[in-house]
Amino acid sequence: MDDNYDNHTPEQIRVLGEFVVASMGLGDEQREFTPEGLTLLSELEPSITVDTATPFGALVDSLGLLVRSAQGNAGFDSPATALLALFGSASVGALYTDERGDVGRNLRGAAREVWGEDWVERLLDAVFHVGELRPSPLTRFTASLTYLDNNRFLRRAQAAGVSIAYSRGPGPLLPQHFYGAPILRDMMRDAARPPEPWAFTPESGADAWPVQLESGANPFRVLNYEYGLLDPEIHGIRRYCFSAPDARRDLRAYAASLSGRDRHRYVEYSVEVLTRTLLQQNIELSAIDSEPDFDWWKDHIIRSSQPEVLLGLRDERARKVAHALLVSTSLLPRVVEAAQTDGSLRDRLRIYIKNLEFDVIDARYRDDARRGVSRVLKTGGVALDTTEARTMAEREIHSMLD
């Protein structure tokens, strides 16, 4: 394989340029894309196409793992996301009982034949190494791919020693966003679940496939944490900052929908997942307590590291094309070089593109903590014992419910 592999296209550079130009607006004028940018985004063709009429194509389509172009072609933007789709099919996809699930079970069986009981770890290794050998400078992600890719993302961030994530719906506090809807449904009714962390019963998954669910209920969410944020085999400080007003609203709303024993159980699950998070020595957990302080950029930067930044798309028109964009930071200077603009706009573009650079994101994160804009619940690198973590988790969750 060519170690100097570089497959960026002028279209990818223009799409990222359009995102940055649209972000330069003030107030209500700050957007994700201009109309031209949305057109460019929708016209990107997947580099690996998949026929959705085939059994495999039907499965990955139902799992919400395919991106599409305006021309109707479906597939993947990179070899790594194609491998992630195999993992998603062999894990969550194998849980569904119809003929599409048969494809997932066959893939899981083949993976076990090759790698034995370590098939999950070996398949994730393959995703990581293929991503290193064949990086994609701009990759469209569906919601399902966003959660599946966190393992690869954090492993790549290890070299620099730190990554930063922002969230309005934090799984470490909200069980429905940690586990996804099917697993939480099982937990709330004491259903006997298989041992795999992604597993749920056929009854809990029968009502909808991932592609039919809103992102907060996606069953792939649990893999974002079990094989990502909370994975003890991944090293480096993981800074995770959440919007406390949004978390409080979601926590209260879900708890209010329950009564008696179910409400108590839900709150206990909230305390448990937060305790697990606080027990991870390399996690730094912080909260933004003022709604205006969780600004436009925090809302759009899902996670950031030296080599990559994952941008969440919030506009409904953009979300019809992709849930998020994974951007290689090596692409950023090319955006300014390729810009067909006058000198003053080019200078503004050169400034605004820095919003996607890790050093700037990191400096703003540290400045928020210094100025008291963010509240650090736990510092990265600090080890808590179970009692300390549990006490801290109970205090945070109950304060949100009071």
Side-chain angles (χ1 to χ4, degrees):
M1 290 186 178
D2 181 4
D3 290 338
N4 296 314
Y5 176 80
D6 183 3
N7 69 340
H8 77 273
T9 65
E11 291 77 17
Q12 290 174 324
I13 292 173
R14 288 180 64 198
V15 165
L16 185 56
E18 288 291 333
F19 179 91
V20 178
V21 168
S23 77
M24 292 193 290
L26 299 175
D28 293 339
E29 294 300 312
Q30 193 171 28
R31 296 173 292 169
E32 292 175 357
F33 285 105
T34 62
E36 182 183 7
L38 277 173
T39 299
L40 287 170
L41 178 66
S42 67
E43 289 179 347
L44 289 177
E45 291 289 343
S47 61
I48 301 170
T49 57
V50 174
D51 183 353
T52 57
T54 65
F56 174 73
L59 174 61
V60 291
D61 193 18
S62 299
L63 292 171
L65 295 168
L66 297 177
V67 295
R68 282 180 165 79
S69 71
Q71 289 70 35
N73 297 315
F76 310 106
D77 279 354
S78 71
T81 52
L83 280 178
L84 281 176
L86 292 178
F87 175 47
S89 299
S91 55
V92 171
L95 299 172
Y96 292 89
T97 56
D98 67 10
E99 64 277 4
R100 289 170 291 182
D102 290 340
V103 177
R105 286 182 285 278
N106 289 337
L107 286 169
R108 183 179 60 190
R112 279 182 169 152
E113 283 185 22
V114 174
W115 290 303
E117 293 305 309
D118 292 335
W119 69 272
V120 172
E121 291 76 13
R122 299 293 76 79
L123 192 46
L124 289 173
D125 285 346
V127 171
F128 172 73
H129 292 300
V130 168
E132 292 293 283
L133 291 168
R134 288 289 184 268
S136 173
L138 181 74
T139 309
R140 289 168 296 169
F141 277 11
T142 63
S144 298
L145 288 172
T146 298
Y147 307 131
L148 280 166
D149 189 61
N150 202 16
N151 179 276
R152 185 210 57 81
F153 184 97
L154 291 174
R155 288 172 69 171
R156 193 168 186 212
Q158 288 179 123
V162 64
S163 63
I164 298 173
Y166 287 101
S167 178
R168 285 196 180 275
L173 288 87
L174 304 170
Q176 66 271 34
H177 289 172
F178 185 97
Y179 294 108
I183 291 179
L184 185 58
R185 192 175 297 135
D186 279 340
M187 293 169 64
M188 294 297 291
R189 61 187 183 88
D190 285 331
R193 292 173 50 232
E196 297 87 355
W198 62 79
F200 50 83
T201 62
E203 295 78 15
S204 289
D207 59 338
W209 285 75
V211 74
Q212 299 168 302
L213 297 170
E214 54 95 13
S215 62
N218 191 303
F220 286 110
R221 292 191 70 99
V222 69
L223 299 175
N224 181 65
Y225 299 104
E226 297 290 3
Y227 293 97
L229 186 69
L230 302 186
D231 191 333
E233 300 302 317
I234 303 175
H235 304 291
I237 299 298
R238 302 199 273 277
R239 294 172 176 161
Y240 188 97
C241 182
F242 65 91
S243 165
D246 287 283
R248 182 179 297 110
R249 274 194 295 269
D250 285 355
L251 188 72
R252 287 179 173 178
Y254 204 101
S257 71
L258 306 170
S259 59
R261 179 172 173 270
D262 284 345
R263 185 180 188 277
H264 175 79
R265 175 176 290 181
Y266 172 76
V267 173
E268 179 59 25
Y269 289 146
S270 302
V271 172
E272 285 180 6
V273 292
L274 183 52
T275 300
R276 279 190 63 194
T277 304
L278 294 169
L279 283 171
Q280 296 291 324
Q281 183 172 343
N282 56 356
I283 286 181
E284 179 164 299
L285 190 65
S286 62
I288 303 286
D289 289 318
S290 171
E291 197 152 11
D293 287 329
F294 203 88
D295 58 28
W296 193 90
W297 284 106
K298 291 182 179 71
D299 192 33
H300 284 78
I301 295 171
I302 297 178
R303 43 188 180 255
S304 172
S305 67
Q306 284 285 1
E308 298 172 315
V309 59
L310 183 63
L311 301 172
L313 302 183
R314 312 303 178 193
D315 183 274
E316 286 303 316
R317 295 166 299 172
R319 277 218 171 180
K320 291 178 180 177
V321 181
H323 181 87
L325 299 176
L326 180 70
V327 176
S328 170
T329 53
S330 64
L331 189 66
L332 302 183
R334 300 175 189 264
V335 173
V336 179
E337 295 168 6
Q340 302 295 316
T341 62
D342 58 44
S344 61
L345 184 56
R346 184 186 292 269
D347 288 341
R348 288 186 69 203
L349 184 62
R350 185 176 289 109
I351 293 169
Y352 269 77
I353 199 74
K354 291 184 177 296
N355 286 300
L356 305 182
E357 294 178 359
F358 181 77
D359 289 347
V360 172
I361 295 168
D362 181 51
R364 287 179 174 170
Y365 175 92
R366 288 184 283 107
D367 187 57
D368 283 344
R370 181 184 60 81
R371 295 187 297 114
V373 171
S374 65
R375 171 172 54 92
V376 179
L377 282 73
K378 177 193 171 294
T379 303
V382 173
L384 302 179
D385 63 34
T386 303
T387 300
E388 290 173 319
R390 172 84 188 190
T391 300
M392 189 180 297
E394 288 178 340
R395 182 169 61 244
E396 188 69 22
I397 294 299
H398 289 294
S399 71
M400 287 188 167
L401 291 170
D402 289 342

